[in-house]
Every structure is written in C-alpha cells, then in structure tokens.
Amino acid sequence: MAEIRNYTMNFGPQHPAAHGVLRLVLELDGEVIQKADPHVGLLHRATEKLAESKPFNQSIGYMDRLDYVSMMCNEHAYVMAIEKLLGLEPPLRAQYIRVMFDEITRILNHLMWLGAHAIDIGAMTVFLYCFREREDLMDCYEAVSGTRMHATYYRPGGVYRDLPGLMPQYPYSQWRSKKEVDRLNARRSGGLLDFIADFTKRFPANVDQYETLLTDNRIWKQRTVNIGVVSPERAMQLGFSGPMLRGSGIEWDLRKKQPYDVYDQLDFDIPVGRNGDCYDRYLVRVEELRQSNRIIEQCVAWLKANPGPVMIDDRKVRPPRREEMKGDMESLIHHFKLMTEGYCVPAGEVYAAVEAPKGELGVYLVSDGANKPYRLKVRPPGFAHLASLDEMVRGHMLADVVAVIGTQDIVFGEIDR
C-alpha cells in the first residue's frame, strides 16, 4: 500500500500545547510543515466594543482580561491613555508602585511562559518550580487588590490604595505541619514591602535553579537551537516587539526608548539575543526575570523611604473615602455619580503604550467629550507574532510547531479580544 505523504491536519484547539483556543491547520509532507494557517477568533469577546458602551472608569477590569497572564500591564496602558486625555500626572509614589507591579507582572508572565514552554517540550520539573514562585507573587496581587488575578488596581490618577502594612497569615490546619506554617508565616511577619523584599532576595537562586535544569541541557538545546529563526530585518518587517524582537538582536524596549512613569530613574539592562532562534528568546526572557528583580528591589527601597499619597486629590476623578461616604450626604451623592456616570473626558485622540511582558501593548483612545470612549483600539503584541507563525515553522518538523508556539508566548485574550 502506497504511503500517504501530503496531507492536512488540525493542530488544536483541544491540543494541550495550543494554549486554549488556537486552531492551526497544517499542511504536511510526511512530518515536515509545508504551510501553517492559524484560525483565530475563538476567544473573541468584543472587549473594545463593550468598552465603548461604558464610562471610562468602568472598563479597567476589561483590560485585565485581555492578556490574562499580564493583568496590571494591560491596565497600565489603558489608564495612561485616560490620564493623557485628562492631563493628569499621578503622584510619584503611585508611579513607583505601578512600575513595581509592572515588573512583578513581568515575572509572573515569564514564569508562566517558562513553565508552559518547558512542559510543552517535555521538561516537567521546571513547570512545578515556576508555579512555586508564582504563588508568592499572586499573594502580592491579592494583598493590594483583594483578588489574585484580575486586580483592577490601577486607576486614572494613581492606584486604588496604598500598600498594606500587614500580610495575611496562614492558619494552622491539618494539611500542613506547624513547622511548615511557621516557616511560611515568617516571611509574612511584616508588610507587603517586606514580603516583596524577601522574595527579591530568594528569587535569583530560583532562576539559577531553572537555568541548571535547562540552559545547558542537551535535549533542551536540540529542541530550541536553530528552531524558528527570524532575522533582525524580518523581525522589524513583521512588527515584532518585546522578547521576540530583542531575541533577534534589536535592542528596542519602551522602558528605555520611550520611558514612562519612573523607568528613566531606575538602573536595569536590556538583554538582547544574537541568532533569533527559540533558544535565544529563552535566554532573553530568563535574563529579563533577573532584570525585573533588580527593578523591584530599587522600587521597594524607594517606597520604604518615601511615604506619600498614591492618588491625586482631584475630586472629579477620585471617589471620596468610604469613611466620608458613610457619614456625609454630599460624599454619598458624589460617590454614586462617579461610579454610575463616571466623568467626561476632553475630546481628542491619544495613543499610550507600555512595554508589556510580551511586547508593545498600546491603547488608542478617541474621546468626543462624553463620559465613555468614542473608539477604543488595543494594539496587542501577540497578534503580529502569531501572524509570523507560518513563516517560522515552514520546513520544520511537526514537533517543532510546539516549540515555536511556546517561544511566541501566545495568549489569546489579547489576540482575539
């Protein structure tokens, strides 16, 4: 019987390496990819259209759900766009808090990426180690916002509230020994800043642990070196940004080239690759874990030394404090109006972009002077990366498709929107 060589197959959306909702139609010659056609839209939720029907301040929570692994970075771009239209500048302490949580988010994202990428290719242990560290950082999200993922912590004019002076403690239970609970609570004896400072001391050794398992691992290098190579020129033509662009050797990072908030006052380096393959992009992201840790250390030191307001005192933008709202009729009315109607934003158009963990996340906002956007357009980094998938996998084997999807760090919340 003759062997069937040319055929078409579906990769995903049920495949565990398809990251939830990617349907990839592959044309193969044996096991060699001839063409890859990504079918997107399976997670389309009309985020931009929904935001156009709600007051500005009610859409911050939608942004968390775009790239749902980089929650606060999405909020940051949207809030910055509103602040540009309103002409607001948040207090310096709020800017440091935002930068600190942007970098905590970057570490959260890269740990999720590293764990998922490794387990896709066949390395199990790294996945467990990465989630061990993510647990501590999720506790930081919970401490400031009350929720572990969709924080809605950034607000136009600052942040929702100052950093808590006490961290919640683990109770004694039948599931953990007293010794283990005491060890966990020892890190939580102070406030959030002390907890984060303790994390930054421990984290570099944890990154060394990941690298011990992967960086010189023969199988890891066989699966990533010279796979999905993109030249610097082609990376720019394809609209790459973030680690996908820097992995190809182009030193472009909005935190350095177009600094926002207090990034221009902090000391950190931009890691850059040489060969533009999956291995270089892995090295870039692992080094970004270390650089984000440096930035967080500097933010913690500044925040400990400089107390102050975390929200501007413009009563047209910020709601009254709950104590005032409970005891004063005018404050109650003001709070009700602000939460139901929001505030009118001057007519105009603006583009605000942040260096999100996956690349440049931009928000284009058009206001006609009403209390809701006339038009909102999100520029996600992942869309341009996914568009290059066909080019990156052609000529490679079927197993390499998994490595390339992993190296692109695809999350469909922001691509389908």
Side-chain angles (χ1 to χ4, degrees):
M1 187 174 172
E3 183 187 357
I4 300 172
R5 290 197 59 81
N6 293 301
Y7 60 98
T8 303
M9 71 174 285
N10 273 312
F11 179 99
Q14 279 79 27
H15 193 285
H19 293 251
V21 287
L22 169 63
R23 179 178 175 225
L24 202 56
V25 180
L26 300 174
E27 291 179 17
L28 299 107
D29 178 10
E31 265 200 81
V32 179
I33 309 295
Q34 302 296 311
K35 185 183 179 190
D37 185 14
H39 287 221
V40 300
L42 296 169
L43 196 59
H44 175 58
R45 295 158 298 172
T47 301
E48 294 157 335
K49 207 68 195 163
L50 283 166
E52 288 165 22
S53 64
K54 284 184 167 49
F56 285 92
N57 57 342
Q58 287 186 21
S59 294
I60 302 169
Y62 281 127
M63 301 303 128
D64 285 306
R65 292 157 174 83
L66 288 171
D67 174 0
Y68 42 77
V69 190
S70 313
M71 295 72 66
M72 288 201 198
C73 289
N74 306 333
E75 293 175 24
H76 201 164
Y78 178 66
V79 163
M80 271 172 55
I82 297 172
E83 285 171 350
K84 276 188 179 180
L85 283 171
L86 286 170
L88 303 177
E89 183 171 355
L92 197 55
R93 183 173 174 84
Q95 293 184 37
Y96 268 95
I97 290 172
R98 283 182 183 181
V99 166
M100 181 175 76
F101 270 97
D102 275 12
E103 297 308 314
I104 285 174
T105 305
R106 195 176 314 279
I107 292 177
L108 275 169
N109 180 92
H110 286 355
L111 288 176
M112 170 66 92
W113 162 81
L114 183 60
H117 189 29
I119 208 169
D120 284 351
I121 289 178
M124 178 80 192
T125 312
V126 186
F127 179 80
L128 302 172
Y129 283 174
C130 288
F131 273 73
R132 177 188 62 193
E133 272 70 70
R134 274 176 61 86
E135 203 61 31
D136 281 345
L137 296 179
M138 286 293 191
D139 286 347
C140 298
Y141 261 54
E142 189 175 9
V144 294
S145 70
T147 177
R148 287 163 58 85
M149 278 189 69
H150 304 307
T152 324
Y153 180 56
Y154 296 2
R155 305 290 164 89
V159 294
Y160 164 51
R161 61 178 178 187
D162 207 347
L163 306 174
L166 283 171
M167 283 294 283
Q169 303 274 308
Y170 281 104
Y172 294 114
S173 74
Q174 59 181 322
W175 312 115
R176 285 193 176 101
S177 67
K178 183 177 184 300
K179 184 180 176 184
E180 173 69 5
V181 172
D182 289 340
R183 185 185 67 80
L184 290 169
N185 284 340
R187 297 171 184 164
R188 299 161 169 272
S189 54
L192 176 63
L193 286 174
D194 300 314
F195 182 72
I196 295 172
D198 177 72
F199 177 86
T200 58
K201 287 190 185 79
R202 291 182 282 116
F203 189 58
N206 295 330
V207 180
D208 292 341
Q209 213 172 18
Y210 314 147
E211 290 219 69
T212 303
L213 288 167
L214 295 179
T215 303
D216 292 321
N217 183 315
R218 179 170 55 86
I219 302 170
W220 181 258
K221 291 180 87 166
Q222 284 170 340
R223 292 301 307 273
T224 55
V225 173
N226 290 330
I227 303 296
V229 178
V230 182
S231 70
E233 299 75 25
R234 192 65 188 132
M236 287 193 289
Q237 289 166 357
L238 289 164
F240 281 11
S241 56
M244 290 289 290
L245 183 61
R246 294 190 286 275
S248 292
I250 294 174
E251 191 182 338
W252 178 260
D253 189 311
L254 295 182
R255 297 172 296 170
K256 288 281 192 186
K257 304 295 185 186
Q258 298 172 15
Y260 50 95
D261 282 350
V262 291
Y263 275 113
D264 54 348
Q265 297 171 38
L266 298 169
D267 179 34
F268 62 100
D269 300 317
I270 304 300
V272 175
R274 284 184 185 169
N275 305 314
D277 59 6
C278 290
Y279 187 68
D280 274 22
R281 289 186 283 271
Y282 154 76
L283 293 175
V284 164
R285 287 187 175 104
V286 168
E287 182 55 31
E288 282 189 9
L289 289 172
R290 300 185 191 277
Q291 296 303 323
S292 292
N293 201 58
R294 275 178 69 191
I295 294 171
I296 293 167
E297 283 177 333
Q298 295 167 62
C299 289
V300 167
W302 190 94
L303 288 164
K304 281 186 172 180
N306 297 276
V310 295
M311 188 73 177
I312 57 166
D313 199 25
D314 183 347
R315 296 293 164 164
K316 291 294 178 192
V317 176
R318 68 168 290 176
R321 297 178 63 214
R322 293 197 77 80
E323 295 91 337
E324 298 169 13
M325 187 189 81
K326 297 282 174 74
D328 176 32
M329 189 63 188
E330 300 300 322
S331 296
L332 180 64
I333 295 168
H334 182 201
H335 186 278
F336 178 77
K337 296 281 279 183
L338 198 58
M339 292 303 162
T340 53
E341 293 178 11
Y343 37 77
C344 291
V345 171
E349 58 183 334
V350 71
Y351 177 77
V354 298
E355 185 67 34
K358 293 173 173 61
E360 178 177 337
L361 179 92
V363 170
Y364 174 64
L365 198 56
V366 181
S367 170
D368 58 0
N371 66 335
K372 57 187 78 165
Y374 174 76
R375 180 77 178 92
L376 172 70
K377 174 74 174 74
V378 175
R379 187 268 178 207
F383 191 78
H385 301 158
L386 186 66
S388 71
L389 189 70
D390 175 44
E391 193 172 313
M392 288 177 75
V393 300
R394 274 195 194 198
H396 285 307
M397 305 293 277
L398 178 59
D400 297 324
V401 174
V402 174
V404 172
I405 292 172
T407 196
Q408 289 191 349
D409 196 7
I410 294 294
V411 164
F412 276 87
E414 62 168 14
I415 291 170
D416 292 343
R417 302 193 292 291

